[in-house]
């Protein structure tokens, strides 16, 4: 493994996108960044720019108004990249499955690597999911 | 002078959620604002007509994950009102307990985000650390950190026993100690916070009334309006006085919320000590029929549910009127005249919750 | 419901003006699709929100509702929402998003109308 690949797995940068969630999972992602859970100890940094990011963290189901934004973000991210969906509603549509403005799970729009179920997913589960994603980054898909 | 339109959002570091403000600027000064919403609208009101009415509780809880308990409470109170159900008094006290717990966690979350919006990273971290204590209480008593999901039609799902109540009191004392030491003095005395918030985004009393602001935004402008004054759940027995500030600026709104954190703490302790023995739920049979309007005070303001039942298992219509939706017009008068760099702080000062707003 | 009055479309504006004169605060509005007509309920709050007053208007499906947003500016958002979620015509909204506030182009049109399941 060359040093770029090694450092990628040691310090992956995250991009978080809210695709129509109820906020429950978003605040748990934020909680991961704060002192108690502190994912920075794994070298993970939250980024606002898709071109800097290795991991895309998506919450919420894909919906009509913003699935294009999601696709756009995904396409802007450089390879290799992994997508982690946080929350049951992002995995399958969840409680929102019969809402008219919803397309369904995130995997209807972009390929997903890791699913983190839970409504809302606990910070421990989110960290687990991200660490699983790291494995994928390391092994180069 | 030439005018420039600057799109603010939808992806902006200060918002965890997507909303866009089209800011019309003359140089650094804002002269006009147009909000662009709809990035995360789901259509929950329709889904509520398709689900059986009991299942709607789970849907209502997920209108917004931050104040999920209040949504379920408002819905359950509406249905109970319609079906003429008398909720046992222990359940009413338990509802107050969780409602105030959510209020504390929501206000703390907001305070952290506000601190983050003007670059006060260490306050952000401190506040969120204190918030974890509240979330632990929530997890211990209800089984979940943020979506408590303890409401059922006719009462609550879980009880709090002696031992647990004692533990809760200990944890709250721990929280209070932390808040007294590191949060309150900073908010009250720190010059940087005042520099960024005092006099920013002023909403006068008249404007607030005319634009139908709700919650801390309204109370920060000197109007003593709080739905808890309508004495739903157990607020009658516990007693309640709204917290009011008169300056109408971002700092006043901050103070209202910070004081409400302490007020909620008192209410929780009172609720625990005054809680009568008895059942926590009654069995409810039948189907809802008729129309009701149900209102509760959410952390962000007044929440209105209009429920219409038609005697079947499905509702005819469920209308959810949320506080952020009501506060956006106020935001549109707060922003003009301010500087571009103050937009994040002023926008956050109404505590926007877009998931609520767009449903 | 309690404290409810039913008015015709023509009386709506005067009734709303009366609410303003009493310093009522606008709460929200609800639109109902009753198969052959629409019913719109405006919810107002009096005395710091302790009391409520509802104004109900019945409207034929092909009729146009006058906007109250010139009296209560804050009603503009909810009127936009009604216009999007229902196939209802509202004239003179202060800030008209032209049915593009909440729904996107590909979203189902007027999703809250009955019989759209
Ligand atoms: S999984 Fe549940 S808690 Fe998380 S965003 Fe979806 S509805 Fe909200």
């Amino acid at each position: 493994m060359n040093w770029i690949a090694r450092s990628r797995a040691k310090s992956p940068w995250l991009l978080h996108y809210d695709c129509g969630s109820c906020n429950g999972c978003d605040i748990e992602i934020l909680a991961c960044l704060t002192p108690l859970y502190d994912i920075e100890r794994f070298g993970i940094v939250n980024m606002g720019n898709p071109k800097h990011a290795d991991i895309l963290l998506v919450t919420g189901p894909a919906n009509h108004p913003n699935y294009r934004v999601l696709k756009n973000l995904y396409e802007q991210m450089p390879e290799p990249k992994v997508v982690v969906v946080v929350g049951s509603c992002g995995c399958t549509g969840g409680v929102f499955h019969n809402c008219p403005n919803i397309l369904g799970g995130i995997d209807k729009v972009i390929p997903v690597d890791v699913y983190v179920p839970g409504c809302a997913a606990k910070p421990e589960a989110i960290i687990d999911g991200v660490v699983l994603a790291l494995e994928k980054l390391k092994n180069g898909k | 002078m030439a005018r420039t339109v600057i799109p603010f959002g939808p992806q902006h570091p200060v918002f965890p959620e997507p909303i866009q403000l089209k800011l019309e600027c003359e140089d650094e000064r804002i002269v006009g604002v147009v909000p662009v919403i709809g990035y995360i609208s789901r259509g929950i009101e329709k889904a509520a007509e398709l689900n059986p009415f009991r299942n709607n509780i789970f849907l209502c809880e997920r209108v917004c994950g931050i104040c999920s308990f209040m949504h379920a409470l408002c819905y359950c109170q509406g249905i109970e009102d319609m079906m003429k159900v008398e909720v046992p008094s222990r359940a009413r006290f338990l509802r107050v307990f969780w409602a105030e717990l959510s209020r504390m966690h929501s206000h703390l979350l907001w305070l952290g985000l506000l601190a983050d919006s003007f670059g006060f990273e260490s306050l952000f971290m401190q506040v969120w650390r204190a918030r974890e204590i509240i979330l632990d209480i929530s997890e211990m008593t209800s089984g979940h950190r943020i979506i408590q999901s303890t409401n059922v039609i006719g009462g609550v799902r879980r009880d709090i026993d002696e031992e647990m109540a004692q533990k809760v009191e200990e944890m709250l004392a721990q929280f209070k100690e932390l808040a007294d030491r590191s949060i309150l003095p900073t908010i009250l005395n720190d010059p940087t916070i005042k520099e960024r918030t005092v006099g920013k985004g002023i909403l006068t009393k008249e404007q607030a009334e005319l634009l139908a602001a709700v919650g801390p935004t309204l109370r920060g402008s000197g109007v003593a309006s709080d739905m808890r004054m309508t004495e739903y759940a157990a607020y009658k027995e516990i007693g309640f006085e709204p917290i009011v500030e008169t300056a109408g600026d971002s700092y006043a709104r901050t103070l209202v919320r910070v004081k409400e954190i302490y007020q909620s703490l008192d209410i929780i302790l009172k609720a625990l000590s005054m809680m009568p023995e008895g059942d926590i739920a009654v069995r409810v049979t039948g189907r809802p029929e008729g129309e009701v309007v149900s209102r509760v005070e959410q952390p962000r303001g007044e929440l209105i549910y209009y429920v219409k039942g038609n005697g079947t298992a499905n509702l005819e219509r469920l209308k959810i009127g949320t506080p952020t939706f009501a506060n956006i017009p106020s935001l549109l008068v707060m922003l003009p005249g301010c500087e571009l760099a103050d937009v994040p702080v002023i926008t956050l000062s109404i505590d926007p919750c877009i998931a609520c707003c767009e449903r | 419901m309690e404290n409810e009055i039913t008015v015709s479309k023509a009386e709506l504006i005067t009734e709303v003006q009366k609410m303003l004169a009493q310093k009522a605060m606008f709460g929200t509005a609800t639109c109902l699709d009753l198969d052959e007509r629409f019913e719109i309920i405006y919810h107002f709050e009096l005395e710091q929100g302790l009391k409520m007053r509802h104004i109900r208007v019945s409207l034929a499906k092909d009729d146009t509702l006058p906007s109250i947003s010139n009296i209560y500016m804050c009603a503009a958002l909810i009127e936009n929402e009604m216009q999007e979620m229902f196939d209802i015509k509202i004239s003179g909204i202060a800030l008209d998003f032209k049915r593009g506030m909440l729904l996107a182009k590909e979203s189902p049109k007027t999703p809250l109308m009955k019989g759209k399941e």
Side-chain angles (χ1 to χ4, degrees):
Chain A
M1 194 165 33
N2 67 14
W3 63 272
I4 296 188
R6 200 162 55 232
S7 16
R8 192 180 293 122
K10 287 276 185 228
S11 175
W13 287 8
L14 282 186
L15 176 70
H16 166 212
Y17 185 63
D18 171 353
C19 217
S21 79
C22 78
N23 266 342
C25 290
D26 300 275
I27 56 179
E28 292 294 56
I29 291 176
L30 269 180
C32 290
L33 299 169
T34 51
L36 193 68
Y37 295 101
D38 190 21
I39 47 171
E40 277 192 32
R41 67 200 149 110
F42 299 114
I44 299 170
V45 186
N46 193 13
M47 270 295 126
N49 190 330
K51 301 221 163 165
H52 297 177
D54 306 302
I55 302 180
L56 177 61
L57 218 55
V58 193
T59 55
N63 66 1
H64 289 287
N66 68 13
Y67 77 92
R68 250 197 244 103
V69 184
L70 178 65
K71 234 190 206 152
N72 216 331
L73 284 177
Y74 179 74
E75 274 155 19
Q76 285 185 32
M77 283 171 59
E79 290 284 348
K81 54 193 166 190
V82 284
V83 178
V84 181
V85 173
V86 177
S88 305
C89 69
C91 298
T92 62
V95 271
F96 304 129
H97 69 100
N98 54 2
C99 293
N101 215 6
I102 292 292
L103 286 170
I106 294 296
D107 48 13
K108 294 238 163 87
V109 182
I110 54 173
V112 175
D113 301 293
V114 182
Y115 297 87
V116 181
C119 184
K122 291 188 68 165
E124 289 93 339
I126 298 174
I127 295 173
D128 248 13
V130 172
V131 172
L132 260 182
L134 290 187
E135 284 302 306
K136 282 206 127 170
L137 265 188
K138 224 186 283 172
N139 304 335
K141 297 224 189 179
Chain B
M1 192 183 285
R3 291 191 172 184
T4 337
V5 175
I6 299 182
F8 184 77
Q11 278 305 103
H12 191 280
V14 303
F15 301 140
E17 302 165 273
I19 178 179
Q20 189 181 33
L21 298 169
K22 284 202 177 120
L23 304 168
E24 210 176 306
C25 302
E26 267 176 12
D27 240 357
E28 282 285 293
R29 211 152 278 285
I30 312 290
V31 289
V33 197
V34 180
V36 182
I37 57 177
Y39 289 95
I40 54 171
S41 80
R42 291 155 281 179
I44 285 183
E45 288 175 10
K46 183 70 192 181
E49 291 171 15
L50 305 176
N51 294 344
F53 75 98
R54 284 175 210 270
N55 298 14
N56 272 342
I57 299 176
F58 304 108
L59 191 64
C60 291
E61 271 162 0
R62 283 150 185 93
V63 171
C64 166
I66 307 178
C67 35
S68 67
F69 188 84
M70 268 70 157
H71 278 278
L73 176 61
C74 195
Y75 178 74
C76 288
Q77 282 183 353
I79 298 276
E80 283 153 8
D81 200 7
M82 204 184 318
M83 298 173 81
K84 311 261 175 320
V85 178
E86 188 69 44
V87 179
S89 53
R90 188 173 176 87
R92 289 190 286 116
F93 277 85
L94 285 167
R95 280 177 172 182
V96 169
F97 172 82
W98 279 302
E100 294 302 324
L101 213 55
S102 329
R103 191 179 319 276
M104 286 176 84
H105 116 72
S106 169
H107 281 347
L108 286 165
L109 177 130
W110 169 83
L111 195 60
L113 291 181
L114 182 83
D116 194 39
S117 79
F118 49 72
F120 202 149
E121 199 77 7
S122 55
L123 181 62
F124 169 55
M125 293 293 178
Q126 287 289 355
V127 170
W128 278 62
R129 186 174 75 155
R131 178 174 166 268
E132 288 292 337
I133 301 177
I134 305 296
L135 294 184
D136 284 345
I137 297 178
S138 168
E139 184 167 14
M140 182 173 78
T141 53
S142 73
H144 202 292
R145 281 159 54 89
I146 44 181
I147 299 196
Q148 284 100 345
S149 204
T150 43
N151 270 309
V152 288
I153 291 167
V156 291
R157 202 190 298 273
R158 281 176 183 251
D159 202 354
I160 296 179
D161 58 19
E162 262 319 292
E163 197 185 336
M164 204 184 263
Q166 200 139 32
K167 190 90 214 305
V168 169
E169 276 165 27
E170 274 164 34
M171 288 164 89
L172 283 176
Q174 205 184 337
F175 167 80
K176 185 151 189 291
E177 199 256 332
L178 194 62
D180 280 342
R181 183 155 42 90
S182 60
I183 300 174
L184 191 65
T186 321
I187 302 285
L188 292 181
N189 307 325
D190 193 280
T192 51
I193 294 184
K194 291 195 176 157
E195 186 66 32
R196 293 302 303 270
T197 53
V198 174
K200 300 281 158 50
I202 292 182
L203 184 74
T204 63
K205 189 173 175 190
E206 289 69 37
Q207 283 172 332
E209 279 173 333
L210 184 66
L211 294 172
V214 291
T217 313
L218 181 61
R219 293 195 286 280
S221 294
V223 184
S225 166
D226 191 312
M227 284 311 118
R228 284 173 282 177
M229 282 150 61
T230 61
E231 300 177 336
Y232 61 88
Y235 287 106
K236 187 173 181 157
E237 290 94 326
I238 294 172
F240 176 77
E241 276 294 319
I243 286 169
V244 182
E245 287 285 328
T246 49
D249 56 3
S250 304
Y251 190 58
R253 294 189 276 279
T254 311
L255 282 184
V256 170
R257 293 199 180 93
V258 173
K259 287 180 185 165
E260 280 187 3
I261 295 174
Y262 280 87
Q263 186 189 35
S264 296
L265 205 138
D266 287 342
I267 295 179
I268 291 178
L269 292 177
K270 268 195 204 157
L272 282 179
S273 65
M274 289 167 68
M275 199 151 44
E277 289 298 317
D279 285 342
I280 53 165
V282 287
R283 211 179 131 75
V284 179
T285 50
R287 308 246 156 107
E289 186 161 17
E291 317 178 81
V292 286
V293 170
S294 157
R295 297 184 295 166
V296 305
E297 183 76 15
Q298 228 199 18
R300 289 162 186 75
E302 173 193 19
L303 179 68
I304 306 182
Y305 270 52
Y306 167 89
V307 194
K308 182 169 183 186
N310 52 7
T312 65
N314 292 42
L315 295 176
E316 177 89 12
R317 176 91 165 94
L318 176 71
K319 158 86 198 150
I320 307 173
T322 52
T324 304
F325 203 78
N327 273 336
I328 286 182
S330 313
L331 182 64
L332 302 187
V333 306
M334 281 177 206
L335 285 174
C338 79
E339 282 171 346
L340 189 56
D342 286 329
V343 172
V345 176
I346 296 176
T347 314
L348 269 183
S349 78
I350 69 159
D351 197 356
C353 169
I354 313 304
C356 272
C357 178
E358 298 171 2
R359 300 175 299 274
Chain C
M1 285 180 290
E2 258 179 90
N3 298 324
E4 177 187 309
I5 50 170
T6 307
V7 301
S8 71
K9 181 190 132 192
E11 297 159 335
L12 174 68
I13 297 294
T14 30
E15 278 306 319
V16 174
Q17 257 151 358
K18 270 188 219 158
M19 297 309 297
L20 184 69
Q22 293 174 41
K23 286 200 176 295
M25 285 175 66
F26 180 75
T28 186
T30 309
C31 184
L32 301 170
D33 176 11
L34 305 177
D35 290 334
E36 69 289 354
R37 66 208 153 82
F38 289 118
E39 223 169 55
I40 299 99
I41 314 172
Y42 295 91
H43 311 280
F44 289 93
E45 294 173 10
L46 288 159
E47 296 172 26
Q48 249 90 66
L50 291 183
K51 294 244 162 60
M52 284 202 98
R53 180 75 58 80
H54 312 282
I55 299 180
R56 191 186 290 260
V57 189
S58 185
L59 189 80
K61 284 226 157 146
D62 49 4
D63 212 352
T64 308
L65 185 76
S67 164
I68 65 161
S69 59
N70 295 320
I71 308 169
Y72 281 99
M73 192 278 251
C74 45
L77 286 180
I78 188 75
E79 284 179 342
N80 270 300
E81 187 185 315
M82 288 194 309
Q83 179 175 266
E84 261 179 65
M85 297 295 174
F86 295 89
D87 198 5
I88 186 173
K89 294 186 215 68
I90 304 179
S91 64
I93 306 181
L95 181 67
D96 197 339
F97 286 87
K98 305 248 181 311
R99 307 201 171 193
M101 186 174 82
L102 290 178
L103 300 179
K105 280 203 191 71
E106 305 93 336
S107 309
K109 297 278 172 267
T110 60
L112 280 178
M113 298 286 283
K114 294 283 170 204
K116 280 250 175 178
E117 281 80 47

